[in-house]
Amino acid sequence: MTRWQGALATTVLATPQVQAHAFGARYDLPLPLSLYLTAAGVAVAASFVIALLFLRTGWARPLHVDIPLPAKAGHAFSTALSIVGLIVLAVLLGSAFFGPQEAMHNFTTVWVWVICWVGFVLFSALVICLWPQIDPFRRLAAFSVWATGRPWHGSAANLPSAAGLMAPAGLLAIAWIELTSDWSEDPQMVGLLLTAYLLIALFGGLAFGEQWFRVADPLSRIFAVLGRVAPLSVTSATTLRVRPPGEGLLNKAEPIRGEVALVIGLIGIVLFDGLSETAVWTEVLDFVSNSPFLRSPLLWLRGQGADLIQVIRTIGLLITIAAFYGAYWLLMILMGALVGGTLPIGQLARAFAGTLLPIAVAYHLAHYVSYLLIAGQLIFPAASDPFGLGWDLIGTRNWSINISIIGARHIWWIAFTALIAGHALSVLVAHRRALQLFEDTRRAVLSQVPMTIAMVGLTVLSLWILSQPLTE
């Protein structure tokens, strides 16, 4: 949680309605927490049994229905979304540099960190991914390519496969800015970051054309992988695909380099954010501050002007992601041993990384739903006067936050349901993925034993993390 998000929590905690609000409110569980954790683990394990009993080789094929759309309507809709994306980017840059400089009142900070990074991410994964149609960076890059007479598709310059690692690196940078640095609470700094991202996108598009956004661009890659979980997909300007949730994860497209790190990062980042709100993190801070071994380097860093809390949170973020990444590769090694080493470990890792995406989406929903519903209301006064000129464009300039929109009890049950559903879906998708990869059902089932055990453990861990600041 960034400092300005903490300031929001402090503001709402000062109101008399705090008992109905997620910030600081706690839910008195009717049963011991251990029973909920056990039930969640059993439910996820049961999904493996269901997959074992009912899923056979025929279920490995993707299931979907393509709905044709009128060509003119499809192109008009895509064009409208592109225009909206460009307008929003212009307003974001204008508000960042010329609007109110308090983060909670600035259109740019609220839009970037709440509406886009939480709300639009969830919409893209739970409903439909429209980022390719909206993406203003891609549109401006395509226009620059057209204006200079360069090719957009089939660019003469080949983008190295290693450029795919820019996507997880970009994700890590966004997470660090949001969760650790002071930059996220400074509208002008957010504006500078948006400008830098735009310049990089323009350079990448001019140099490599469309393949830059398919391989290297962090936002394009993030929304692309999340969109594979969604039940709806725009496959072309004239085709809407309807499919079961997670079905897009079974497509046999060639994986792009960095996808394993990208998926692991999406889960590890939210796990760290949740873990940093528990008593465990407090104990870590106490240990670090009282450690004789760490005292000298910490004092030296402080003497150099470093913010020690930022340093510790940065290290914690990196360790959490690295630990999860290492655990995933160990899981793949164990899977490879169980199936007789018929496939390289790297191939297994790339094949099953996408099956973890429902977990990432579920944890994102469970962890941020109250933040989205409460902090998201800040967009109404900010949008009514984005430049701080005294406007009231949509009549919501004096909008006040309704903190009773969601309570701790509702958050708990949303989290409980989302985590079970997300992990169970991951188990089912992973089983079907295994049926695609292996020649016989026996090896497919064996490959999923360690995956299921790991997912049961992750279910219990993530639910416990979410319960710490919420229940009593």
Side-chain angles (χ1 to χ4, degrees):
M1 178 180 289
T2 61
R3 293 181 184 178
W4 76 271
Q5 295 163 7
L8 171 65
T10 302
T11 301
V12 297
L13 282 172
T15 69
Q17 300 169 310
V18 69
Q19 289 83 3
H21 171 48
F23 286 103
R26 296 176 72 87
Y27 174 46
D28 187 7
L29 293 175
L31 297 172
L33 176 62
S34 59
L35 291 182
Y36 290 94
L37 299 181
T38 301
V42 170
V44 174
S47 65
F48 172 74
V49 176
I50 293 172
L52 180 64
L53 294 176
F54 297 104
L55 296 185
R56 294 293 183 264
T57 305
W59 281 86
R61 296 191 300 272
L63 307 172
H64 60 257
V65 174
D66 287 338
I67 300 176
L69 303 174
K72 290 184 178 180
H75 288 293
F77 182 67
S78 180
T79 301
L81 289 179
S82 299
I83 294 172
V84 169
L86 292 170
I87 292 173
V88 169
L89 178 60
V91 175
L92 288 174
L93 292 174
S95 178
F97 294 114
F98 306 110
Q101 290 305 297
E102 300 84 7
M104 289 192 298
H105 303 292
N106 185 273
F107 179 83
T108 304
T109 51
V110 176
W111 183 275
V112 169
W113 300 120
V114 185
I115 304 303
C116 183
W117 194 237
V118 177
F120 192 65
V121 161
L122 287 174
F123 178 82
S124 299
L126 297 177
V127 183
I128 185 172
C129 179
L130 297 176
W131 179 250
Q133 289 74 33
I134 295 174
D135 187 358
F137 306 104
R138 185 188 184 103
R139 292 290 169 269
L140 291 173
F143 176 78
S144 299
V145 168
W146 172 81
T148 56
R150 295 170 179 264
W152 177 249
H153 298 284
S155 174
N158 290 320
L159 188 64
S161 63
L165 298 175
M166 291 185 64
L171 172 64
L172 181 60
I174 294 171
W176 182 84
I177 293 168
E178 182 203 10
L179 302 177
T180 301
S181 78
D182 296 331
W183 295 352
S184 62
E185 63 192 58
D186 183 343
Q188 290 191 358
M189 180 56 72
V190 175
L192 289 173
L193 291 170
L194 286 172
T195 303
Y197 195 97
L198 174 59
L199 292 175
I200 293 172
L202 291 174
F203 172 80
L206 287 169
F208 303 104
E210 178 272 340
Q211 59 179 323
W212 172 265
F213 293 90
R214 180 172 49 84
V215 175
D217 182 63
L219 289 179
S220 296
R221 290 280 305 278
I222 291 168
F223 283 110
V225 296
L226 291 172
R228 290 160 59 190
V229 183
L232 300 175
S233 172
V234 179
T235 58
S236 71
T238 59
T239 306
L240 176 68
R241 177 165 292 177
V242 182
R243 60 198 182 188
E247 198 69 22
L249 300 171
L250 296 173
N251 293 338
K252 296 181 179 180
E254 185 68 23
I256 302 173
R257 189 166 181 182
E259 185 159 325
V260 175
L262 185 65
V263 174
I264 297 301
L266 286 168
I267 300 175
I269 288 165
V270 188
L271 279 176
F272 169 75
D273 194 18
L275 190 62
S276 64
E277 298 175 7
T278 67
V280 172
W281 182 250
T282 303
E283 293 176 3
V284 169
L285 293 178
D286 290 340
F287 170 79
V288 171
S289 61
N290 296 320
S291 171
F293 176 75
L294 297 174
R295 184 178 301 276
S296 295
L298 288 175
L299 290 175
W300 180 85
L301 286 171
R302 188 172 65 180
Q304 302 303 310
D307 185 322
L308 294 184
I309 295 298
Q310 287 188 10
V311 171
I312 295 171
R313 286 184 65 86
T314 299
I315 295 173
L317 175 64
L318 294 174
I319 289 177
T320 302
I321 296 175
F324 198 75
Y325 187 76
Y328 178 74
W329 280 95
L330 288 175
L331 188 65
M332 293 300 103
I333 292 172
L334 179 57
M335 179 189 293
L338 286 175
V339 298
T342 54
L343 293 175
I345 302 302
Q347 183 178 349
L348 290 176
R350 291 187 293 271
F352 286 99
T355 65
L356 299 177
L357 282 168
I359 298 175
V361 175
Y363 199 48
H364 199 81
L365 172 64
H367 186 67
Y368 292 121
V369 61
S370 62
Y371 174 56
L372 175 62
L373 293 178
I374 295 170
Q377 297 176 58
L378 293 171
I379 198 63
F380 295 112
S384 205
D385 186 18
F387 306 115
L389 298 176
W391 297 347
D392 194 5
L393 298 175
I394 56 177
T396 56
R397 182 185 174 193
N398 297 318
W399 182 287
S400 58
I401 295 178
N402 176 16
I403 59 176
S404 63
I405 193 170
I406 189 170
R409 179 171 65 90
H410 303 102
I411 297 169
W412 167 253
W413 285 110
I414 290 173
F416 185 76
T417 304
L419 287 174
I420 292 177
H423 285 80
L425 180 59
S426 282
V427 169
L428 295 174
V429 172
H431 188 88
R432 294 178 62 194
R433 188 67 166 145
L435 292 173
Q436 288 180 336
L437 282 177
F438 302 107
E439 297 177 357
D440 57 86
T441 304
R442 176 180 171 277
R443 283 195 297 169
V445 171
L446 282 175
S447 72
Q448 294 311 292
V449 172
M451 283 285 287
T452 303
I453 294 173
M455 288 184 183
V456 168
L458 187 58
T459 303
V460 174
L461 173 63
S462 55
L463 190 60
W464 177 84
I465 290 174
L466 286 168
S467 72
Q468 296 309 293
L470 186 63
T471 65
E472 56 185 9

